[in-house]
């Protein structure tokens, strides 16, 4: 069962997929109904999930489920991964590359290869207060209150 993203409870579980490039306006217009359709049909062992999906900052695909109503099972998570892989294929974009980190700089998402992180920190280009899109955020409340968050308040704190 589809629930509008902003109507899910704060404890709703999230899966965040970072795109290798921004989605164009045309792609977003095409993807949004696909997301709603997937969330409407997403189920766990035959029981519909109270789910939603959205695109954020033109760069992130977010799937969500109200786990207190029905938990996502391994099979339902597999179906979501298959859905995301199909979006990758259809739009020629990577959504599973975890080797690039996303920061908000000058109101735009900037991707930084993980291999360059130490150098960028040393050069002062990335600081503790640089806003980081932590894809490890796992519930809606955290997304709404601390996303993006200062890099120093994430797993990146060890670099400062």
């Amino acid at each position: 069962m589809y629930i509008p993203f902003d109507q899910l409870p704060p404890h709703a579980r999230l899966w965040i997929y970072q795109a290798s490039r921004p989605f164009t306006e045309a792609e977003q217009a095409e993807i949004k109904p696909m997301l709603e359709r997937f969330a409407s049909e997403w189920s766990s062992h035959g029981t519909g999930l109270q789910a939603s999906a959205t695109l954020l900052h033109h760069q992130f695909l977010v799937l969500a489920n109200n786990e207190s109503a029905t938990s996502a099972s391994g099979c339902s998570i597999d179906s979501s991964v298959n859905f995301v892989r199909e979006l990758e294929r259809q739009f020629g974009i990577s959504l599973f590359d975890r080797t690039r980190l996303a920061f908000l700089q000058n109101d735009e998402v900037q991707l930084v290869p993980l291999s360059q992180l130490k150098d960028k920190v040393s050069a002062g280009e990335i600081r503790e207060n640089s806003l980081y899109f932590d894809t490890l955020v796992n519930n809606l409340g955290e997304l709404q209150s601390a996303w993006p968050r200062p890099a120093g308040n994430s797993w990146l704190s060890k670099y400062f």
Side-chain angles (χ1 to χ4, degrees):
M1 170 170 72
Y2 174 78
I3 306 287
F5 195 77
D6 60 353
Q7 292 179 21
L8 285 166
H11 61 270
R13 184 175 174 191
L14 300 181
W15 293 266
I16 301 173
Y17 298 91
Q18 177 180 297
S20 55
R21 60 166 173 78
F23 290 104
T24 66
E25 295 297 327
E27 288 172 332
Q28 290 179 67
E30 190 175 346
I31 291 170
K32 286 178 182 180
M34 296 169 73
L35 296 177
E36 188 170 330
R37 187 171 43 256
F38 172 78
S40 296
E41 297 169 358
W42 199 14
S43 65
S44 177
H45 300 292
T47 302
L49 300 177
Q50 288 186 8
S52 193
T54 193
L55 296 173
L56 299 175
H57 300 277
H58 308 285
Q59 194 98 24
F60 303 93
L61 166 65
V62 183
L63 302 179
N65 177 48
N66 179 1
E67 294 273 302
S68 64
T70 305
S71 293
S73 65
C75 291
S76 62
I77 292 170
D78 287 349
S79 74
S80 70
V81 169
N82 290 337
F83 169 72
V84 174
R85 290 226 183 268
E86 179 57 27
L87 291 176
E88 281 186 315
R89 187 196 62 72
Q90 188 170 344
F91 293 94
I93 196 165
S94 174
L95 291 160
F96 287 95
D97 181 2
R98 301 292 186 198
T99 65
R100 301 179 101 198
L101 307 173
F103 293 88
L104 183 63
Q105 296 176 338
N106 301 319
D107 294 325
E108 289 189 19
V109 176
Q110 300 293 320
L111 298 180
V112 174
L114 184 57
S115 62
Q116 294 178 13
L117 182 62
K118 286 182 184 178
D119 292 338
K120 296 220 178 252
V121 168
S122 294
E125 294 175 38
I126 296 175
R127 297 180 290 286
E128 282 185 87
N129 63 348
S130 297
L131 294 178
Y132 169 59
F133 289 101
D134 189 351
T135 57
L136 300 178
V137 167
N138 64 15
N139 68 61
L140 182 59
E142 192 176 0
L143 181 90
Q144 292 170 328
S145 67
W147 202 75
R149 68 176 66 191
N153 294 348
S154 73
W155 68 271
L156 296 176
S157 62
K158 65 185 176 186
Y159 290 96
F160 303 104

